[in-house]
Amino acid sequence: MSTAARPESFTRTARRAQIVGCAIEVIAEVGYPQASIRKIADRVGIAMSAVLYHFGSKDNLVDAIVEHMYRSMLAIVVPAVDAESTAAGKLDAYIRSTIGYFRTHRVALVALTSTATSFQPGDGRRVEELGLSDELAEQLARLDPLAILQAGQRAGEFGEFPAESMAIALRGAVNAVVEKILRDPGYDARGYGEDLVEIFGRAVGGSR
Amino acid sequence: MSTAARPESFTRTARRAQIVGCAIEVIAEVGYPQASIRKIADRVGIAMSAVLYHFGSKDNLVDAIVEHMYRSMLAIVVPAVDAESTAAGKLDAYIRSTIGYFRTHRVALVALTSTATSFQPGDGRRVEELGLSDELAEQLARLDPLAILQAGQRAGEFGEFPAESMAIALRGAVNAVVEKILRDPGYDARGYGEDLVEIFGRAVGGSR
Amino acid sequence: MSTAARPESFTRTARRAQIVGCAIEVIAEVGYPQASIRKIADRVGIAMSAVLYHFGSKDNLVDAIVEHMYRSMLAIVVPAVDAESTAAGKLDAYIRSTIGYFRTHRVALVALTSTATSFQPGDGRRVEELGLSDELAEQLARLDPLAILQAGQRAGEFGEFPAESMAIALRGAVNAVVEKILRDPGYDARGYGEDLVEIFGRAVGGSR
Amino acid sequence: MSTAARPESFTRTARRAQIVGCAIEVIAEVGYPQASIRKIADRVGIAMSAVLYHFGSKDNLVDAIVEHMYRSMLAIVVPAVDAESTAAGKLDAYIRSTIGYFRTHRVALVALTSTATSFQPGDGRRVEELGLSDELAEQLARLDPLAILQAGQRAGEFGEFPAESMAIALRGAVNAVVEKILRDPGYDARGYGEDLVEIFGRAVGGSR
DNA sequence: GATGAATGAGTGTTCATTCAT
DNA sequence: CATGAATGAACACTCATTCAT
């Protein structure tokens, strides 16, 4: 009677996932401000009030969406970085896996971008704090390349450079591909990734 | 006859500029989706319908806003780049003046960011094409560092590297400071600019 | 057969009483219009649909609430009046016991007031007719002081006065304390009751 | 061009008055909770959004309604009371004019009753404080018979009695006629008023 | 005996736009 | 040159009710 996973939970979870998925699609297509609950419900094929039944409010739905997108990104990048043992390996893995995620998740990307810059929550919270449980926030910190750069410098693997600025530049350079991908779906993002590996591999100097 | 060539009286021009200025402020404060014509008109101190009298529609107002912001950026970056004669000088000038513009135009920056990602025009046009006369588009092309990089390579000033990828990475690294500035108004953007000059100066290799 | 005469199991009756009690609390706290079935169910700790399972509709629930409150009032006032043998005694008992009920049932009072003036049943019935079985209506008639006044006049206990108007005035004066109690929980309602006994004792004139 | 009464003001004021009037009718008919802005607008014959254009929110509309009703009551009762010079005269005038107002303003009465007990404003304000400018609140204080009773006692016109309780009882007795009127439109409220004049005339004792 | 899922009607409110003046 | 009035469409959200389980 009280097994860990109650059967009711499945229906609930599936519907929520379905709604989140459709919401991401709709946001990607028409932009967050135009992505009304009604349009999202229409895409799922249920009544608008059913969406609110499951999430209570649009803010909560956005929470779920943001969490979903962060988790899907984490699921790709973190294992890739962890699989490497050297700082240089981790750096390359960070660049390749992040851009890989961007390549394979165009829709989610558009949605996240639009949501992040348009969303204004009812309470005073920032977008970055939405739907971020402590556990999730902790994992997200691992996506910051600054840690990798500093570890590489401490280990003597990398040369000398302003680590913080380098991290910001790196993130900017990596994220810049999003805009390119969105504008030109045929863009060779993988090639850009390899170029970045080369460029930043040299910039951090180091072993060789 | 009277529509095509309007006398462009002084009052008219002044009012339009005043409205655009207030609109930028309002968008920066509450975000584009919440920036209604009424709020903008309230800030100017005129009736809501007066705004539409001057611009015809909200889309046209957005056109004017985007154009205004691009022009103000051009007015700073283009002369700075043109003042230099070498490719290396132009590259440094591009980085420093762009980041300089970001530092001194926080409000416009917030507004542009919010507008760009939230705005969905009535017709099918993209945001990037809004309010861009041919003459303006031509000038904007000069903001792309790709031209500088290629010129430097042709002149033998720079070494060998994938110019297109380098340009994208550079733009991404430069633009990354916006996010930083917006989140932390006290951030040392100028220092970051100098770091970028160093990092990318090395990356393009060359003269040294 | 099974609808008309339900077994009225203990569980059933207890649950209904529990729901009515919670509904009264919720109505008193947030007002009838804001007292949704969901909020009532939340307070009981059961599902919203369980409330409807027990009462069929919100109108029926209101029926039960009104009946409950009338019965609790009858249980106090009727015995007190019946315990007196003279008209003067009954009059005093009516005043004192009614105000006594008001003093000790503030929450029920707020709820009844809010419900009575806000509720608009689906069918055309008036609020006063809700949940009033014939048997209950008959008993409620005994709460009208008019009968006491007329009996007193017939018995020569009271002097001459327009009995109907005096009854209305008396009910109004007694009920007026509700407003006072609700606004100022510390109000000395008992003292007001004694003053009323004095005032109306004189007004009906009579024996002395 | 700048005469005291601008012509625009007239249209505005007339529309607002029209809306308030219709709102009172609708509230009286279906009760405050069911009196939606849409129903009110339908009765006026304008779009729902036009109501909000004039009042901004439902709360503001309620403000205007309550103020309107209080003012119409003041306009009748205050002059009547002021016209008398003795406390006894003022007391009689208070009773007669208040009941007179009730007789001639049945609809407004139902509306006020329903609104007062159902309305829960967005902010924390009480119903009694809605739409009450200081000036209005000051005038409303003059509707409390307590002042008349106390003045009469000080002047030696009235005998001895608990003035506060007598005032509450008097208000209750006067207000009780509302319920009677609403239930039975043919009820002789004027006769009830005369009875009250007699009953309370004796109760305050005094001169004769 | 009770529940979770879902619904459709209805709520107050915001908005860009039109139009007579 | 500018305004106030008005509108209709859209929005997020609440609610009592239904129904299969």
Side-chain angles (χ1 to χ4, degrees), chain A residues 80-102:
Chain A
V81 171
D82 284 355
E84 300 293 323
S85 52
T86 66
K90 284 177 190 291
L91 183 62
D92 295 357
Y94 168 81
I95 294 172
R96 290 197 178 101
S97 63
T98 303
I99 288 182
Y101 174 81
F102 288 164

Side-chain angles (χ1 to χ4, degrees), chain D residues 102-146:
Chain D
F102 288 164
R103 280 193 304 119
T104 54
H105 291 72
R106 283 191 58 236
V107 170
L109 218 55
V110 189
L112 184 54
T113 305
S114 176
T115 303
T117 56
S118 300
F119 180 63
Q120 199 97 341
D123 41 28
R125 299 180 306 167
R126 294 202 178 174
V127 182
E128 303 88 28
E129 299 156 358
L130 288 182
L132 270 58
S133 61
D134 289 351
E135 165 242 347
L136 188 56
E138 186 191 352
Q139 282 199 283
L140 276 178
R142 308 193 47 191
L143 289 188
D144 192 337
L146 180 56

Side-chain angles (χ1 to χ4, degrees), chain D residues 11-78:
Chain D
T11 309
R12 180 185 200 78
T13 307
R15 254 283 189 272
R16 287 177 59 106
Q18 190 189 10
I19 293 170
V20 165
C22 289
I24 290 175
E25 286 175 29
V26 172
I27 293 175
E29 284 174 25
V30 304
Y32 176 79
Q34 277 79 32
S36 67
I37 294 187
R38 166 149 288 154
K39 286 176 195 156
I40 293 169
D42 282 355
R43 164 133 347 185
V44 183
I46 59 178
M48 173 185 45
S49 47
V51 174
L52 286 158
Y53 166 74
H54 281 287
F55 290 94
S57 73
K58 201 187 183 188
D59 280 21
N60 288 348
L61 175 56
V62 172
D63 272 13
I65 290 171
V66 172
E67 172 164 357
H68 175 86
M69 294 195 285
Y70 276 137
R71 281 200 191 284
S72 71
M73 189 163 170
L74 279 170
I76 289 188
V77 177
V78 168

Side-chain angles (χ1 to χ4, degrees), chain A residues 29-30 33-34 113-114 117-118 120 126 128 162 164-166 168-169 172-173 176 180 183 187 192 195-196 199, chain B residues 29-30 33-34 113-114 117-118 120 126 128 162 164-166 168-169 172-173 176 180 183 187 192 195-196 199:
Chain A
E29 284 174 23
V30 304
Q34 278 78 34
T113 306
S114 176
T117 55
S118 299
Q120 199 97 343
R126 293 200 180 176
E128 303 89 28
E164 206 195 333
S165 291
M166 184 68 81
I168 294 171
K180 208 71 184 163
R183 231 191 294 260
Y187 180 71
Y192 176 72
D195 287 345
L196 277 194
I199 292 171
Chain B
E29 284 175 23
V30 304
Q34 276 79 35
T113 306
S114 176
T117 57
S118 299
Q120 194 92 347
R126 294 199 179 176
E128 303 89 28
E164 208 196 333
S165 292
M166 183 69 79
I168 294 172
K180 208 74 184 160
R183 231 191 293 258
Y187 179 71
Y192 176 73
D195 288 345
L196 276 195
I199 291 171

Side-chain angles (χ1 to χ4, degrees), chain B residues 91-108:
Chain B
L91 183 62
D92 295 357
Y94 168 80
I95 294 172
R96 289 196 178 101
S97 63
T98 302
I99 288 182
Y101 173 80
F102 289 162
R103 280 194 302 119
T104 53
H105 290 73
R106 282 192 61 237
V107 169

Side-chain angles (χ1 to χ4, degrees), chain D residues 112-193:
Chain D
L112 184 54
T113 305
S114 176
T115 303
T117 56
S118 300
F119 180 63
Q120 199 97 341
D123 41 28
R125 299 180 306 167
R126 294 202 178 174
V127 182
E128 303 88 28
E129 299 156 358
L130 288 182
L132 270 58
S133 61
D134 289 351
E135 165 242 347
L136 188 56
E138 186 191 352
Q139 282 199 283
L140 276 178
R142 308 193 47 191
L143 289 188
D144 192 337
L146 180 56
I148 300 175
L149 296 178
Q150 289 173 329
Q153 286 185 321
R154 275 196 308 271
E157 248 186 277
F158 296 159
E160 218 163 296
F161 54 82
E164 206 194 333
S165 292
M166 183 68 80
I168 294 171
L170 175 53
R171 290 184 69 151
V174 167
N175 291 339
V177 80
V178 170
E179 202 187 332
K180 207 72 185 161
I181 290 175
L182 296 185
R183 231 191 294 259
D184 171 14
Y187 180 71
D188 178 19
R190 187 192 295 265
Y192 177 71

Side-chain angles (χ1 to χ4, degrees), chain A residues 138-192:
Chain A
E138 185 192 353
Q139 282 200 281
L140 275 177
R142 308 193 47 190
L143 289 188
D144 192 337
L146 179 56
I148 300 175
L149 295 178
Q150 290 173 329
Q153 287 186 321
R154 275 196 307 271
E157 247 185 279
F158 296 158
E160 218 162 294
F161 54 81
E164 206 195 333
S165 291
M166 184 68 81
I168 294 171
L170 176 53
R171 291 184 68 152
V174 167
N175 291 339
V177 79
V178 170
E179 201 186 333
K180 208 71 184 163
I181 289 175
L182 297 185
R183 231 191 294 260
D184 171 15
Y187 180 71
D188 177 19
R190 187 192 295 266
Y192 176 72

